[in-house]
Amino acid sequence: MKHTIALVDDDRNILTSVSMTLEQEGFDVRTFTDGESALQALLAKPADLAVLDIKMPRMDGMELLQKLRARSAMPVIFLTSKDDELDELMGLRLGADDYITKPFSQRLLLERIRALLRRNEASKAEGSGAAPASVLTRGNLTLDETKHQCLWKGKDIQLTVTEFLLVKALAQRPGMVKSRDQLIDAAYGENVYVDDRTIDSHVKRLRKKFRNEDGEFDQIETLYGIGYRYKEA
């Protein structure tokens, strides 16, 4: 079954290039240049996933997401030209599932789309009783993959898909060192090029998110020149 992807961006060059890539990969694509037209169309006929630019005329991505979330649980990825952590956190709190900063690799966007669609389908199957929930518990940490939920000491930590996959890769084998290359494979898939420093940036943000809830969080350890590991309880 073909999945339908909605692209909402006022940059027509991005709409054209991304839609061509997605269509070549077998997706049906619907494009919109502003939030208002996208809202009307998506409420009338939802897509399987939406990719939204944050900065748009008539209705920005934040407002569009808020209005969509009142009626739909459709997975959403934000695109933004700003590496603005406040925008990211606000977007995630409104219900975005992931966040990619422009300029971006179309291959990376494709991998994020596929990961979200897999997660959404697994969640639907689990809710219908067709598949068991996949829950990982390590001391104070609980990861529910089907719900894409991360809890630390019972508090919800809002993570992007990439961050969730990184925590999962580390927590699955406490005490075992994971190299940056191994973490790239876990979070992005094999054969996707990502600079090593990207992993360092993700880990920095992960620590900050956990420490915002628990100032003593120190489970993710750095082994300089080697990689990272999740500290055994």
Side-chain angles (χ1 to χ4, degrees), residues 26-71:
F27 294 100
D28 285 330
V29 182
R30 300 161 64 190
T31 60
F32 307 91
T33 56
D34 66 86
E36 283 188 0
S37 61
L39 177 64
Q40 294 174 9
L42 292 174
L43 289 180
K45 186 180 179 182
D48 293 304
L49 181 145
V51 179
L52 311 180
D53 187 28
I54 288 184
K55 306 300 180 185
M56 292 187 296
R58 298 176 64 188
M59 180 186 295
D60 66 20
M62 294 286 190
E63 185 179 356
L64 174 56
L65 174 63
Q66 192 170 25
K67 291 181 181 298
L68 286 173
R69 275 292 169 265
R71 301 269 297 274

Side-chain angles (χ1 to χ4, degrees), residues 183-232:
L183 292 174
I184 288 171
D185 288 346
Y188 292 92
E190 296 180 3
N191 303 318
V192 176
Y193 173 75
V194 179
D195 192 285
D196 287 355
R197 289 173 296 181
T198 301
I199 295 298
D200 297 336
S201 297
H202 281 307
V203 170
K204 181 178 179 181
R205 287 192 178 191
L206 275 171
R207 286 174 173 149
K208 184 172 183 179
K209 287 183 177 182
F210 278 95
R211 286 171 181 166
N212 283 341
E213 297 294 344
D214 178 3
E216 297 182 356
F217 177 85
D218 64 351
Q219 296 303 116
I220 300 176
E221 297 183 314
T222 303
L223 284 82
Y224 292 99
I226 303 175
Y228 297 94
R229 71 181 172 197
Y230 191 85
K231 189 165 67 175
E232 294 181 280

Side-chain angles (χ1 to χ4, degrees), residues 175-186:
M176 178 174 287
V177 179
K178 292 278 188 177
S179 69
R180 288 170 177 81
D181 285 342
Q182 288 174 315
L183 292 174
I184 288 171
D185 288 346

